[in-house]
């Protein structure tokens, strides 16, 4: 060929001829015809070579004339095709390619690469022109190339372009055969695109480009229609309006279907799957742990049923989410590992092309984000972000769970941005949350949650950067959510707390007070409603930890100490207050309306009764609320079961001062409620030398010291060192807390000869409730002659002012009606032997009156409970177990089993008066939920005992009979002193004992009650 350039077809044709749609389609069709001969070996000496040369020249000519957006793939097609031409006849390659190839010979690529390039160039030209035939041909080219490229690096992009061609063709095709049905084409195309994206590693740059393209494609199509009467349809409506009754109806319908004999398989298994999902959703809104347990049970059971691979993968993913909720409620990392195993089940990877894969990746990302919080591995957070970016891109905008994906993506980006100091991630998170939050009038669950997360982001950023604008908007966003008329109490309470804290940071104390009021007065009672089981209530209360303490600090700062007391009553001892309401005597109500009183009594018994299911509790709680409303409508009963106000709380000082010690992260103060000049006042004593961290550390130090002092094998030198820790703690209490309180009350001096020591009630908060305020060291070093608080006042403890008032208002047994249930039992070889049990039983005989003794094998939990129900007094000498992280698991060890706090909480002992708990740790609350004051002693108060003696730590067994003998001797003597004075005098005698005069022994025992 003399002049290959002049002979080359298309190069000198007019642009409109080169760019003609028919010409392009024909050339692509020619390439498809010779697709099996697109190698030098196969093309040599065949007609296929002429087609290859013709197509190569055509794409060269197109490259010269097409817009910039189409040049790349025409260039690729040109180079790939001329690669074959150059390998066989390099002299016919036109300029300037000929010279370029002479210096850098073109690579001969696989036939599927050539077909893919030709198809992509065709697709990019056909779609803007609305060319159905060209788009269909491009799809055909891609399908062949995809089959040939299996297992190669080119398979993902070829697969993605195949899907793109199918989705574009679906918009150019009317209803027809199955192969060209628009919906079938679209669904298959989207599946191919998802398959391609999920096959690429997260850091592949091609993957991000695919995500963007896929998001644009997906956005053009509505979400698949959901059958109107399906569970998914109700979920979607619930996501929009947050109505909990929707979930209740779905659960009832699904349970009926699962239990119905006529429901066959796989229908039963699929309904069980939906039931498990719905139970988890209701748990996340209402907090009932039985729903979460039911979710895990139903999903686990469904795994054994007949399922498609797709359903099995989704089931594992949602089971992982239920395990994640279990981890969130318990803090047990075993549940987090179970969640991880479920969301990484192999079935999920095998079904990556499923439309449901985005939901599965969202659940995986949620688990990975939680794992980052625990283990701090940034790679897991990066993986979470990658999965969520894909899930958001691959989910239609109208799909009900897409907002959840966006919120989780924002949270993961925020965590990553904070961890790595990447402002771009934080800015992206903010933008996403604003998008989901919508307008203030949008009050669906997702909008509420997005607004909460946005407020948290703004507050955190505003605090770190001292950005007033961020803090102000955080307060505004939180206020909107806290006041929204929605049933999502958990999110609203968290928002109210954010609102308050943001206002504190802004210095707006008045608005902070309002926010704390919304949180404690309105939302907290709803968060822990009576319809929830005790364990569920405790889990939810963890979310409001220390809220009341900070609120009280704000009231103190504003000069409102009365309101500070009210805030502490509203937010502390919440479950105790609920329980006491169910156990009060209401003779005035019985006189005003016997019928209402009887109905009220019945519903109280129902709410206290153990082993009632969630539905029964819900019904009883609703009836309780209706009855309270009816009772309040009676003349003179308008304040029935209202939250405490000053008019009620001031009565707590009627028999002596009460020192409420508020420990918060902002400051620590003593609120002294006492009578002065005929009036009840509250004085504030700032404890400027005390911080919440100090209190936590001192409580830990004391706990370590007293534990080592009773541990066998502790050397004498170590015992001395730990005794000094104990005395330094008592000295610190005296200098920083107890001394200033006694000084302000005028109780810091000895009483005159013959004068009785004054009473003082201590109401500590937080970890301070673990420290013996009554034994604070006021003067000296702890050696003989030192002065302790015990030398200045008769101390008692009150978990809350409300509990103290309840005890005072509950009538004591009539004279001569006293009787005692005396229990003495060892726990066996697992625990140290209690050698003095018989002596302790003998000591209890100082108290006259009827008695029942349960010794050893007779002291079973059932027998002990039966005895408690029939006696006014109780003495239990046994081992006690305290669980600081789960205080409701604390218990007394009896024969054949334990007496647990929850069993005690199910009792209503009408005639109970006094319990002496000669058991280690019986009066020590847990570190977790410290302000709920959950201990064995408080459980006895809850079930009816007005007065309780208990121990803060373990002491020597032989001390028990000595102290008990003196307490009961004094209680039975003529002119009987009250229990507090009896214990105080008994401890005074113990302090004279040669062995037990050290505070390690006598300071452990405390009195709670009036």
């Amino acid at each position: 060929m003399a002049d290959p350039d002049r002979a080359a077809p298309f190069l000198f044709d007019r642009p409109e001829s080169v760019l003609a749609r028919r010409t392009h389609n024909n050339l692509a069709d020619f390439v498809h015809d010779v697709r099996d001969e697109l190698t030098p070996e196969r093309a040599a000496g065949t007609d296929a070579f002429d087609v290859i040369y013709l197509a190569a020249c055509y794409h060269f000519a197109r490259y010269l004339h097409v817009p910039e957006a189409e040049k790349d793939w025409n260039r690729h097609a040109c180079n790939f095709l001329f690669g074959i031409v150059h390998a066989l006849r390099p002299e016919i390659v036109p300029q300037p390619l000929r010279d370029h190839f002479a210096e850098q010979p073109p690579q001969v690529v696989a036939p599927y690469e050539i077909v893919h390039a030709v198809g992509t160039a065709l697709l990019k030209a056909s779609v803007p022109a609305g060319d159905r035939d060209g788009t269909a041909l491009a799809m055909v080219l891609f399908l062949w190339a995809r089959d040939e490229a299996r297992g190669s690096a080119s398979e993902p992009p070829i697969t993605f372009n195949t899907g793109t061609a199918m989705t574009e063709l679906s918009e150019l095709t009317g209803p027809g055969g199955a192969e060209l049905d628009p919906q079938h084409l679209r669904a298959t195309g989207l599946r191919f695109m998802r398959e391609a994206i999920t096959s690429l590693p997260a850091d592949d740059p091609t993957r991000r480009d695919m995500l963007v393209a896929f998001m644009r494609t997906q956005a053009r199509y509505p979400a698949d229609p959901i059958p109107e009467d399906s569970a998914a349809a109700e979920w979607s409506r619930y996501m929009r309006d947050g109505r909990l009754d929707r979930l209740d109806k779905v659960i009832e319908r699904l349970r009926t279907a699962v239990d119905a004999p006529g429901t066959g398989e796989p229908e039963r298994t699929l309904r069980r799957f939906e039931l498990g999902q719905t139970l988890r959703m209701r748990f996340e809104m209402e907090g009932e742990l039985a729903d979460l347990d039911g979710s895990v049970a139903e999903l686990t059971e469904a795994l054994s049923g007949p399922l498609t691979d797709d359903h099995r993968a989704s089931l594992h993913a949602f089971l992982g989410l239920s395990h994640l909720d279990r981890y969130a409620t318990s803090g047990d990392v075993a549940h987090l590992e179970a969640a991880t195993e479920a969301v990484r089940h192999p079935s999920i990877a095998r079904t990556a092309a499923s439309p449901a894969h985005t939901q599965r990746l969202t659940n995986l990302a949620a688990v990975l984000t939680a794992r980052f919080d625990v283990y701090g591995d940034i790679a897991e957070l990066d993986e979470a972000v990658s999965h969520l970016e894909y899930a958001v891109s691959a989910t239609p905008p109208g799909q009900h769970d897409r907002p959840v994906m966006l919120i989780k993506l924002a949270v993961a980006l925020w965590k990553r941005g904070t961890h790595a100091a990447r402002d771009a991630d934080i800015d992206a998170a903010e933008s996403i949350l604003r998008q989901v939050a919508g307008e203030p009038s949008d009050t669906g669950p997702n909008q509420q949650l997005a607004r909460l997360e946005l407020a948290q982001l703004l507050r955190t950023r505003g605090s770190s950067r001292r950005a007033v604008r961020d803090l102000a908007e955080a307060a505004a966003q939180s206020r909107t959510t806290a006041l929204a008329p929605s049933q999502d109490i958990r999110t609203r309470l968290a928002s109210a707390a954010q609102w308050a804290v943001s206002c504190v940071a802004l210095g707006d104390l008045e608005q902070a007070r309002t926010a704390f009021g919304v949180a404690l007065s309105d939302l907290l009672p709803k968060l822990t409603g009576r319809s929830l089981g005790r364990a569920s209530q405790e889990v939810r209360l963890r979310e409001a930890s220390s809220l009341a303490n900070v609120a009280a600090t704000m009231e103190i700062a504003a000069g409102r100490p009365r309101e500070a007391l009210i805030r502490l009553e509203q937010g502390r001892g919440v479950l105790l207050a609920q329980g006491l309401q169910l156990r009060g005597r209401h003779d005035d109500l019985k006189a005003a309306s016997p019928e209402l009183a009887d109905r009220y009594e019945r519903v109280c018994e129902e709410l206290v009764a153990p082993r009632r299911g969630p539905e029964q509790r819900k019904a009883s709680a609703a009836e309780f609320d209706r009855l309270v409303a009816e009772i309040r409508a009676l003349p003179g009963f308008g304040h029935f079961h209202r939250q405490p106000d000053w008019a009620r709380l001031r009565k707590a000082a009627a028999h002596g001062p009460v020192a409420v010690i508020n420990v918060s992260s902002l400051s620590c103060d003593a609120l002294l409620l006492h009578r002065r000049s005929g009036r009840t006042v509250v004085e504030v004593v700032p404890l400027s030398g005390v911080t919440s961290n100090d209190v936590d550390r001192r409580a830990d130090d004391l706990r370590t010291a007293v534990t080592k002092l009773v541990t066998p094998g502790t050397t004498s030198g170590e015992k001395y060192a730990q005794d000094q820790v104990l005395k330094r703690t008592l000295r610190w209490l005296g200098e920083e807390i107890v001394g200033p309180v006694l000084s302000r009350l005028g109780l810091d001096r000895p009483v005159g000869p013959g004068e009785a020591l004054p009473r003082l009630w201590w109401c500590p908060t937080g970890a301070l409730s673990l420290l013996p305020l009554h034994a604070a060291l006021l003067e000296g070093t702890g050696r003989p002659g030192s002065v302790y608080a015990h030398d200045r006042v008769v101390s008692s403890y009150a978990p809350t002012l409300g509990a103290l008032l309840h005890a005072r208002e509950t009538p004591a047994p009539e004279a001569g009606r006293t009787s005692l249930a005396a229990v003495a039992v060892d726990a066996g070889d697992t625990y140290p032997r209690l050698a003095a049990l018989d002596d302790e039983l003998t000591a209890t005989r100082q108290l006259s009156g009827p008695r029942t003794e349960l010794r050893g094998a007779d002291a079973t939990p059932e027998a002990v409970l039966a005895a408690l129900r029939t006696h006014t007094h109780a003495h239990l000498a046994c081992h006690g177990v305290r669980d600081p992280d789960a205080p409701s698991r604390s218990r007394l060890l009896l024969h054949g089993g334990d007496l647990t706090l929850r069993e005690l909480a199910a009792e209503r002992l009408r005639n109970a008066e006094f319990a002496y708990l000669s058991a280690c740790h019986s009066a020590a609350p847990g570190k977790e939920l410290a302000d709920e004051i959950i201990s064995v002693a408080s459980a006895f108060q809850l079930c009816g005992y007005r007065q309780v003696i208990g121990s803060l730590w373990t002491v020597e067994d032989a001390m028990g009979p000595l102290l008990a003998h003196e307490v009961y001797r004094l209680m039975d003597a003529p002119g009987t002193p009250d229990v507090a004075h009896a214990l105080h005098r008994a401890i005074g005698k113990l302090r004279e004992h040669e062995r037990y005069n050290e505070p390690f022994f006598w300071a452990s025992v405390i009195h709670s009650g009036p």
Side-chain angles (χ1 to χ4, degrees), residues 304-385:
S304 64
L307 293 163
T308 64
D309 287 345
D310 204 38
H311 282 129
R312 188 171 300 279
S314 290
L315 209 158
H316 278 291
F318 281 102
L319 178 59
L321 215 53
S322 293
H323 282 305
L324 183 60
D325 278 342
R326 274 188 163 173
Y327 162 70
T329 60
S330 68
D332 185 348
V333 294
H335 292 308
L336 181 60
E337 295 306 322
T340 304
E341 182 181 355
V343 296
R344 288 204 184 278
H345 192 270
S347 63
I348 295 174
R350 289 197 301 267
T351 54
S354 165
H357 193 58
T358 56
Q359 294 173 322
R360 301 167 196 157
L361 289 180
T362 301
N363 295 357
L364 169 58
V367 174
L368 289 170
T369 302
R371 289 181 65 85
F372 169 76
D373 291 338
V374 175
Y375 302 114
D377 185 353
I378 192 64
E380 291 193 311
L381 195 57
D382 287 338
E383 184 184 354
V385 170

Side-chain angles (χ1 to χ4, degrees), residues 135 246 324 353 514 758 791 797 887 965 1002:
T135 304
R246 296 192 186 280
L324 183 60
T514 301
D791 297 308
Y797 288 81
H965 181 279
W1002 60 264

Side-chain angles (χ1 to χ4, degrees), residues 203-279:
D203 58 353
D204 191 314
T206 305
R207 185 178 185 271
R208 183 169 292 277
D209 294 338
M210 287 183 181
L211 279 171
V212 173
F214 185 60
M215 182 168 59
R216 290 172 180 164
T217 301
Q218 184 77 71
R220 300 206 304 260
Y221 307 122
D224 293 336
I226 302 173
E228 188 64 24
D229 60 345
S230 67
E234 283 295 340
W235 295 340
S236 182
R237 287 189 280 268
Y238 162 72
M239 288 294 189
R240 288 196 300 270
D241 60 28
R243 282 177 46 192
L244 284 170
D245 63 306
R246 296 192 186 280
L247 299 184
D248 294 339
K249 291 175 183 176
V250 172
I251 288 170
E252 183 179 359
R253 189 169 74 236
L254 290 173
R255 277 189 171 138
T256 300
V258 167
D259 295 339
T263 305
E265 294 290 3
E267 182 74 11
R268 188 189 309 278
T269 295
L270 293 178
R271 299 294 80 78
R272 194 183 298 280
F273 179 14
E274 292 175 338
L275 176 58
Q277 288 178 271
T278 314
L279 286 168

Side-chain angles (χ1 to χ4, degrees), residues 413-534:
L413 285 168
W414 177 25
K415 288 179 184 288
R416 189 172 72 178
T418 302
H419 177 81
R422 291 165 56 172
D423 287 348
D425 277 349
I426 297 175
D427 292 343
E430 178 187 357
S431 177
I432 292 169
L433 291 171
R434 289 188 186 280
Q435 172 190 339
V436 180
E439 298 298 321
S441 57
D442 297 331
T443 57
N446 292 326
Q447 288 82 8
Q448 295 276 83
L449 182 57
R451 209 170 284 121
L452 170 63
E453 297 290 354
L454 176 60
Q456 290 175 328
L457 184 156
L458 292 169
R459 184 183 65 81
T460 303
R461 188 174 67 187
S463 297
S464 64
R465 298 179 182 178
R466 298 183 179 179
V468 173
R469 174 180 289 184
D470 278 350
L471 290 171
E473 188 180 357
Q477 294 281 0
S478 299
R479 180 181 184 278
T480 297
T481 306
L483 299 178
S486 77
Q487 295 176 295
D488 187 357
I489 303 302
R490 183 185 180 199
T491 298
R492 289 178 60 197
L493 178 62
S495 295
Q498 284 285 342
W499 175 19
V501 173
S502 298
C503 290
V504 171
L506 287 166
D508 188 348
L509 300 189
E510 192 60 35
Q511 190 175 177
R513 290 182 61 245
T514 301
F516 279 123
V518 170
L520 295 171
S521 179
D522 179 29
L523 299 175
L524 186 59
K526 296 174 183 175
L527 184 79
T528 55
R530 299 177 190 277
S531 62
L532 293 177
R534 170 79 183 210

Side-chain angles (χ1 to χ4, degrees), residues 109-141:
V109 299
Y112 60 77
E113 299 283 16
I114 300 172
V115 172
H116 178 227
V118 170
T120 305
L122 179 63
L123 182 67
K124 288 186 174 295
S126 300
V127 170
D131 183 351
R132 177 185 181 279
D133 292 338
T135 304
L137 179 55
M139 180 188 74
V140 171
L141 290 165

